[in-house]
């Protein structure tokens, strides 16, 4: 039975509203204009520091402020504990069904590990995953293959990676894993530019998609 590794933000969890709330609280506190949700989504994908760096560039803030601002955004995000986020429809039911069928599950996200674990606990998912790799768990972050390969070490080499973005697709490709593309997340490139063994737009379909994957 193949292991299944999931991205978190934009795949299992629509966390952009929480991220936007935390980022904008810091921006407004420091006298800068808040970002729209669409703008914040455009920053998501390569980790918190990268997101804050893009926000700083957009507001003319010196990049030397990124570490300190990132710490403040992370503190605000963690304190929210998923207040504005939501699981995508049918995620919990699908994950439980996969576990019942004998699949082992993992997480590979660029979100800091502590924040990822807070999200998993808040949404009742923490007991479903055998391995959780965060953006600070390894020396490199996605799209470098190191985090995904680290997840495979705990789950077995014949894994499938499920994600929502061009970053996830590149990570899977570089790690040599099959990629399943969830179409309702934060992808910023045309679908036809991605390489995947299958795509789906509702987690109710995932069990059948995995069963039919090569």
């Amino acid at each position: 039975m193949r292991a299944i590794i999931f991205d978190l933000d934009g795949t299992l969890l629509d966390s952009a509203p929480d991220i936007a709330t935390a980022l904008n609280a810091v921006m407004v506190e420091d006298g800068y204009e808040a970002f729209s949700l669409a703008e914040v989504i455009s920053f998501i994908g390569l980790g918190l520091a990268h997101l804050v760096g893009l926000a700083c560039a957009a507001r003319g803030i010196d990049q030397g402020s990124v570490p300190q601002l990132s710490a403040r955004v992370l503190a605000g995000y963690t304190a929210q504990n998923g207040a504005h986020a939501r699981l995508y429809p049918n995620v919990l039911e699908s994950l439980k069904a996969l576990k019942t069928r004998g699949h082992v599950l993992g997480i590979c996200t660029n979100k800091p590990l502590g924040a990822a674990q807070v999200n998993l606990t808040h949404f009742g998912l923490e007991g479903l995953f055998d391995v959780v790799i965060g953006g600070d768990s390894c020396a490199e972050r996605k799209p470098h293959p190191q985090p995904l390969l680290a997840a495979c070490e705990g789950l077995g080499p014949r894994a499938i990676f499920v994600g929502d973005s061009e970053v996830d697709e590149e990570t899977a490709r570089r790690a040599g894993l099959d990629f399943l593309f969830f179409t309702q997340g934060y992808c910023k490139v045309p679908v036809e530019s991605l390489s995947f063994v299958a795509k789906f737009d509702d987690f109710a379909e995932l069990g059948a998609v995995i069963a039919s994957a090569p």
Side-chain angles (χ1 to χ4, degrees), residues 50-158:
H50 184 263
L51 180 149
V52 173
L54 293 177
C56 286
R59 293 291 182 263
I61 302 170
D62 187 270
Q63 291 293 310
S65 301
V66 168
Q68 183 257 349
L69 292 177
S70 296
R72 290 168 61 196
V73 172
L74 179 59
Y77 177 85
T78 304
Q80 290 179 80
N81 195 26
H84 307 288
R86 67 180 181 94
L87 289 178
Y88 286 103
N90 300 308
V91 162
L92 183 58
E93 298 86 349
S94 178
L95 295 177
K96 288 181 176 179
L98 291 171
K99 289 288 284 188
T100 298
R101 287 168 50 184
H103 292 282
V104 289
L105 309 180
I107 292 285
C108 182
T109 175
N110 274 341
K111 183 191 292 293
L113 179 61
Q117 291 171 329
V118 165
N119 283 160
L120 294 176
T121 299
H122 177 75
F123 289 100
L125 303 179
E126 74 279 5
L128 296 173
F129 298 99
D130 296 275
V131 170
V132 179
I133 299 294
D136 49 2
S137 297
C138 300
E140 304 287 349
R141 294 193 305 269
K142 298 183 299 181
H144 195 284
Q146 184 185 53
L148 189 51
L149 292 173
C152 289
E153 288 179 9
L155 299 175
R158 192 170 176 268

